[in-house]
Amino acid sequence: MTATVTSTSAQPARAGITFPDGFVWGAATASYQIEGAAREDGRGPSIWDTFSRTPGKVFAGHTGDVACDHYHRYAEDVALMAELGLASYRYSVSWSRIRPDGTGPVNTRGLDFYDRLTDELLGKGIDPVVTLYHWDLPQTLEDQGGWPARSTAEAFAEYAEVVYRRLGDRVATWTTLNEPWCSAYLGYGSGIHAPGVQNPVSAFRAVHHLLLGHGLAARALRAAGAKSVSITLNPCEVSPLDPANTADQAAARLIDGVANRIFYDPLLLGRYPADVLEHIARFTDLDYIRDGDLEVVNAPIDVLGINFYTPAYVSAQPGRPGALDYPGSEGVAFRPPVGPVTDMNWQIEPASLTRLLTRIHRDYPGTPMMITENGAAYPGGTADQPRIDYVDGHLRACHDALAAGVDLRGYFLWSLMDNFEWAEGYAKRFGIVHVDYTTQQRVLKDSAKWYREVIRRNGLE
Ligand code: IFM
């Protein structure tokens, strides 16, 4: 099937909806994707500096060296956020600005940058939500074993505390990790992301040490006085292609285990699911999971961040080779997208977000959630009705989840502005603000003006 980039606007007229009072409206970005200033003020190299300079890894050899030059233009960017009426802004801190080698001396000039950014936000009445790790591991730590090594989890907790001690008096919400699925499986499984390793054992070890790093950091943050601690996952909303077919059901269960329950259960229940442990044991001894680790991982969180873009449908197909980013998925076929897709070729199906949220609410009751990323890539300039349609549909899906009893606290649009889309470089544009990478000029897209109205109204027309 050929997928086409298309709008979802050919839909019946929709009723107006209002979100609960206090629903948080925000937008999100990440350090390596927007900051640039890669060699400034003492910043050390991260795995994405190395990876993006490795020929063939990133579209057209693009790097984050300059990106959106946000490091220098943050005040202009915060002014744009204020113009949009954002209540909150989710940014990530670059570990290698703070500790250039991952451990060891603290680089105060790096902390100074986030200090200035935080004050600029607060001065405009925008609440900062900090993510401590959005994939840019200091290269020195990768050289010492990266996330497959336990020492990286320990170093992460130390770094978290350093950042908290500088910003904790002004930042209420602390998110440890962004999308550990990507760090583990894209970084060490398929290798399409930095550091570009292809080894299922490394991927499973990375999952555990990311979880442990979260738990150790959560503990350190809490001890230092953090009021609200969270982690952001990117669950795979996976369904059997034929819901009545038991082999398809088993395929979906396998993917759900490797992609979702491997994170949900340790974080929210304090244990790995038995079937997932059996699955990992096909590849490696489990001795890297030490006594007491799961108690650390199961540290209480105040909110679970959910990043969501597209659903997955799988069927059983005996003999089919596995996908490297789902180690052990031999015999499972992912259906290519059907119907409208975004420029990432990701299927658009807002109802799948409602399914995801209600499932977490059902299986892990009492978990407050926040959409920490949702949005769409579309090519072109500022006329972006398809993006408006995408976000409109997903906001309605959030509203349906609220109506079903889900404790959903807010929505952060990905992304505030066009930026470095990892292996896709600058070729994919997720922003509601257009960035001209030659002049660094920012221009509001139609979606930004539309989002401003959504925020003003606390709902949709
Ligand atoms: O750009 C990324 C972001 O860094 C993490 N979540 C998905 C986005 C779109 O691919």
Side-chain angles (χ1 to χ4, degrees):
M1 148 158 297
T2 314
T4 47
V5 176
T6 168
S7 148
T8 55
S9 58
Q11 289 168 354
R14 295 160 144 180
I17 55 174
T18 304
F19 284 82
D21 287 346
F23 192 80
V24 176
W25 294 103
T29 63
S31 47
Y32 190 75
Q33 294 182 271
I34 64 165
E35 285 177 1
R39 294 183 190 80
E40 247 171 90
D41 290 343
R43 178 186 178 279
S46 79
I47 53 174
W48 272 96
D49 295 281
T50 308
F51 190 73
S52 62
R53 289 195 181 94
T54 308
K57 297 296 185 191
V58 172
F59 173 81
H62 292 170
T63 73
D65 284 2
V66 178
C68 306
D69 195 30
H70 173 75
Y71 191 78
H72 300 112
R73 295 167 195 264
Y74 70 91
E76 181 192 340
D77 292 334
V78 173
L80 280 175
M81 296 176 213
E83 201 182 323
L84 296 178
L86 296 187
S88 191
Y89 172 57
R90 174 177 179 245
Y91 69 82
S92 81
V93 174
S94 155
W95 187 343
S96 41
R97 277 197 202 286
I98 309 304
R99 282 193 139 162
D101 288 317
T103 55
V106 172
N107 176 37
T108 50
R109 287 176 297 170
L111 285 169
D112 292 345
F113 168 66
Y114 297 105
D115 211 70
R116 292 193 294 275
L117 171 60
T118 300
D119 285 345
E120 192 70 27
L121 288 164
L122 291 171
K124 295 264 191 295
I126 300 168
D127 190 32
V129 168
V130 166
T131 300
L132 287 160
Y133 185 73
H134 196 124
W135 308 354
D136 40 1
L137 187 72
Q139 182 62 44
T140 308
L141 288 185
E142 177 55 34
D143 297 340
Q144 293 166 1
W147 285 110
R150 190 176 181 92
S151 51
T152 300
E154 289 155 359
F156 178 64
E158 282 177 25
Y159 147 74
E161 190 174 339
V162 168
V163 181
Y164 182 84
R165 296 229 174 264
R166 178 60 93 83
L167 302 178
D169 57 339
R170 284 153 291 154
V171 172
T173 306
W174 292 81
T175 305
T176 54
L177 306 175
N178 179 73
E179 301 184 0
W181 180 88
C182 296
S183 302
Y185 292 118
L186 301 183
Y188 297 94
S190 68
I192 67 159
H193 278 187
V197 174
Q198 290 188 338
N199 180 337
V201 177
S202 302
F204 286 126
R205 291 179 67 105
V207 167
H208 183 69
H209 295 130
L210 283 152
L211 285 168
L212 182 65
H214 156 79
L216 292 170
R219 189 180 266 186
L221 290 164
R222 203 71 85 177
K227 291 188 198 61
S228 176
V229 175
S230 69
I231 181 169
T232 279
L233 304 178
N234 60 319
C236 175
E237 171 44 38
V238 58
S239 306
L241 187 54
D242 175 355
N245 178 309
T246 50
D248 287 6
Q249 287 168 9
R253 172 114 183 122
L254 186 149
I255 298 300
D256 184 53
V258 172
N260 300 328
R261 290 180 292 114
I262 198 171
F263 294 106
Y264 296 155
D265 285 23
L267 287 167
L268 302 171
L269 305 176
R271 58 174 183 262
Y272 279 108
D275 62 314
V276 170
L277 285 179
E278 256 176 52
H279 185 88
I280 303 172
R282 288 175 45 203
F283 295 87
T284 172
D285 286 346
L286 300 175
D287 51 3
Y288 62 90
I289 304 172
R290 297 197 193 155
D291 285 351
D293 282 2
L294 287 158
E295 197 187 321
V296 174
V297 173
N298 186 216
I301 53 171
D302 299 280
V303 66
L304 176 66
I306 300 290
N307 291 357
F308 183 79
Y309 293 88
T310 190
Y313 291 87
V314 296
S315 58
Q317 207 178 89
R320 191 183 173 94
L324 293 176
D325 39 10
Y326 296 91
S329 63
E330 293 76 25
V332 177
F334 282 78
R335 184 187 71 178
V338 167
V341 296
T342 70
D343 196 30
M344 298 293 279
N345 197 25
W346 292 347
Q347 179 170 329
I348 302 169
E349 192 195 323
S352 62
L353 174 55
T354 314
R355 285 203 301 274
L356 170 68
L357 296 172
T358 49
R359 180 267 173 108
I360 297 174
H361 174 67
R362 183 194 66 222
D363 291 355
Y364 306 90
T367 306
M369 285 177 265
M370 181 84 97
I371 302 296
T372 39
E373 282 183 29
N374 176 245
Y378 285 102
T382 54
D384 62 342
Q385 187 60 40
R387 179 175 290 106
I388 295 174
D389 294 336
Y390 179 97
V391 176
D392 180 287
H394 286 79
L395 285 175
R396 288 172 198 277
C398 289
H399 198 262
D400 289 347
L402 281 160
V406 173
D407 181 359
L408 184 66
R409 306 273 173 97
Y411 178 93
F412 288 72
L413 209 155
W414 183 271
S415 179
L416 175 70
M417 56 184 149
D418 294 334
N419 59 50
F420 177 81
E421 178 52 27
W422 308 111
E424 307 287 347
Y426 298 97
K428 304 294 178 195
R429 292 181 175 270
F430 273 91
I432 56 172
V433 173
H434 183 270
V435 177
D436 178 327
Y437 294 113
T438 314
T439 61
Q440 290 295 350
Q441 193 194 11
R442 278 87 159 122
V443 180
L444 300 191
K445 299 184 189 178
D446 291 349
S447 56
K449 295 174 188 162
W450 171 86
Y451 193 48
R452 176 167 60 197
E453 281 308 296
V454 172
I455 296 171
R456 195 188 55 73
R457 210 182 274 128
N458 194 33
L460 299 166
E461 268 185 324

